Amino acid sequence: MSLIHKTAAELGALIAAGEVSSVEVAEAHLDRMAEAEPKINAFLHVDRETTLAQARVVDDRLRSGERLGPLAGVPVAHKDIFATRDMPTTAASKILEGWRPPYDATVTGRLREAGLVILGKTNLDEFAMGSSTENSAYGVTRNPWDLTRVPGGSSGGSSAAVAAYEAPLSTGTDTGGSIRQPASVTGIVGMKPTYGGSSRYGLIAFASSLDTPGPFARNVLDAALLQEAFSGHDPLDSTSIDAPVPSVVEAARTADVAGMRIGVVKEFAGEGYQPGVLARFHEVVQLLESLGAKVVEVSCPSFATALPAYYLIAPSECSSNLARFDAMRYGLRVGDDGTRSAEEVMALTRAAGFGPEVKRRIMLGTYALSSGYYDAYYGQAQKVRTVISREFEAAFHQVDALVSPTTPTTAFPIGERADDPIAMYLADLCTIPSNLAGNAAISVPCGLADEDGLPVGLQIMAPVLGDDRCYRVGAAVEKALESRWGGGLLSKAPAL
Ligand code: GLN
């Protein structure tokens, strides 16, 4: 088996044993990228020399006897919304074109310390606003299962890179579903940790009360290894949780649901869902039962109000966060010819630098926060958020974990929803409640839809700081299904 087809855990073990070098592993992936990128366009920035130089340093550290973590020498691709001190960081926006941060985000810095090698920066919807990567200022990313379809979003470059074997691991951020939905539609694993369980320091902010960094991988254990490597309290992030990190790797190895109580969210399966998605979902619920879980139906009626509440809260926070792009401090500056005021330069720069979806969100948020409307929109949405958190709490008194489809449909065709924001927003119908409540949730592949042969994801939601439960249930599903599929779901993906 070639290096690119190995799991991250296997690669880490081979490198630790000295059977293969980090440089060789990085080269194999860079070669794969050279072959796949003309079709996929998952990466915004690749720099072979910087990557190989990092790999050489890790090889030297290991040779000198330094003890690094289980992923030392393994490559990772970062969503281009995490600051990286040796690579540009753009958030896929023209307004940050050419910006090179002078520092690392906590996530990228911790992974660098643990010996992971950065393969490059991946594409996304501009400032992580979208569900398809079509809002990137640098072109769409294509789904490796079908090049005419989207890879999900906003972390679509990260999901496509892993699904196309360009990277064994990648990072993403999930504000409303941006890790779980792209993982679901590309047939891989994607996890949104508990809010505050992974640091936001050095992450370009979209909606600060929701933004959550998390891992992508082709299997549950690899995702757990990556999450464990960057998790833990960070004094540089004021909302970082100062509590022991859930043992996610151990949970992924446990892979056992016997005796667990699992709730099916009644509201998340019915009208508007693709039949093939529902068919796979109902099958996997039966599978959980056959593995010894006690499955019950749980009603969470307020989840239906999560989407509108999110589209008030997230734009409100973004309208404030994006005020920092003022043409003075970072990236683009338009019209600064000595004749214009700072205010005019700022207006020209923001008009030229932000794409249409970002402008829509800034206007929505500014409106929702304006005096006279604040209580009716933002204030009301915050109340809905509280009700949703309480409903989760009540549900988790009854069950250990909740399940639903990750997203109502499989990957949609490029262009299909580009002019229909509401249709685009609906991709996150099932994922948004966990962002509003801050609890942990994962998407694991559960099969292919009959209509189109495209991947379907199962979402597993667990309480705040119950990340280990997501991995435990996810690994059990993976183990049971893999023996049926033989060779994993991605082996069914058409070769590029
Ligand atoms: N698709 C959602 C949005 O456009 C979620 C994005 C995200 O999680 N970053 O806001």
Side-chain angles (χ1 to χ4, degrees), residues 79 81 125 127-132 135 153-155 173-182 206 210-211 307 310-311 314-315 357 361 424-428 431-432 435:
K79 185 177 187 180
I81 197 160
D125 288 294
F127 287 105
M129 298 171 196
S131 301
S132 67
N135 297 335
S154 64
S155 318
T173 56
D174 193 311
T175 302
S178 279
I179 292 176
R180 289 161 287 161
Q181 182 261 5
F206 162 14
L210 302 160
D211 296 343
L307 193 84
Y310 170 88
Y311 277 99
E357 181 64 23
R361 305 273 179 118
M424 190 70 88
Y425 297 170
L426 282 171
D428 290 321
T431 48
I432 281 175
N435 295 91

Side-chain angles (χ1 to χ4, degrees), residues 74-366:
V74 177
V76 61
H78 289 304
K79 185 177 187 180
D80 198 25
I81 197 160
F82 290 102
T84 39
R85 61 173 149 77
D86 49 2
M87 291 181 181
T89 302
T90 65
S93 180
K94 289 280 181 217
I95 211 156
L96 276 174
E97 195 161 4
W99 183 58
R100 281 186 177 255
Y103 66 105
D104 269 336
T106 295
V107 167
T108 51
R110 281 190 181 165
L111 294 180
R112 210 193 281 273
E113 262 312 294
L116 283 91
V117 172
I118 306 175
L119 279 175
K121 304 296 289 290
T122 60
N123 199 15
L124 63 149
D125 288 294
E126 186 177 3
F127 287 105
M129 298 171 196
S131 301
S132 67
T133 77
E134 291 167 288
N135 297 335
S136 167
Y138 305 102
V140 69
T141 296
R142 293 169 187 279
N143 190 321
W145 287 79
D146 176 346
L147 298 176
T148 68
R149 304 210 178 214
V150 304
S154 64
S155 318
S158 285
S159 63
V162 169
Y165 293 90
E166 296 180 79
L169 300 168
S170 62
T171 57
T173 56
D174 193 311
T175 302
S178 279
I179 292 176
R180 289 161 287 161
Q181 182 261 5
S184 171
V185 302
T186 55
I188 64 170
V189 176
M191 169 78 180
K192 183 198 91 70
T194 295
Y195 175 80
S198 49
S199 171
R200 290 182 296 107
Y201 178 75
L203 168 68
I204 297 173
F206 162 14
S208 306
S209 77
L210 302 160
D211 296 343
T212 312
F216 284 102
R218 286 188 295 266
N219 67 75
V220 173
L221 176 62
D222 282 0
L225 286 165
L226 187 61
Q227 180 172 334
E228 199 155 276
F230 62 64
S231 294
H233 180 241
D234 180 10
L236 297 173
D237 171 358
S238 62
T239 56
S240 169
I241 298 175
D242 194 358
V245 178
S247 342
V248 292
V249 172
E250 198 186 304
R253 290 210 165 99
T254 305
D256 176 15
V257 290
M260 278 182 91
R261 295 161 306 162
I262 294 180
V264 174
V265 181
K266 186 177 150 208
E267 285 74 15
F268 284 163
E271 230 174 283
Y273 288 72
Q274 190 177 319
V277 168
L278 289 179
R280 291 297 86 81
F281 175 66
H282 291 135
E283 269 170 29
V284 79
V285 168
Q286 280 177 358
L287 174 73
L288 284 166
E289 247 174 340
S290 74
L291 294 172
K294 190 176 176 321
V295 177
V296 292
E297 194 176 75
V298 174
S299 177
C300 301
S302 73
F303 283 16
T305 58
L307 193 84
Y310 170 88
Y311 277 99
L312 290 165
I313 294 168
S316 295
E317 294 186 20
C318 113
S319 70
S320 160
N321 272 326
L322 270 56
R324 62 167 61 82
F325 301 104
D326 56 3
M328 305 297 146
R329 286 177 282 188
Y330 322 88
L332 188 72
R333 184 179 298 179
V334 176
D336 184 17
D337 58 6
T339 68
R340 293 192 173 88
S341 69
E343 222 173 327
E344 284 169 322
V345 172
M346 200 183 296
L348 286 172
T349 303
R350 287 169 67 87
F354 289 139
E357 181 64 23
V358 174
K359 287 178 182 161
R360 173 169 20 243
R361 305 273 179 118
I362 293 174
M363 287 190 284
L364 259 171
T366 307

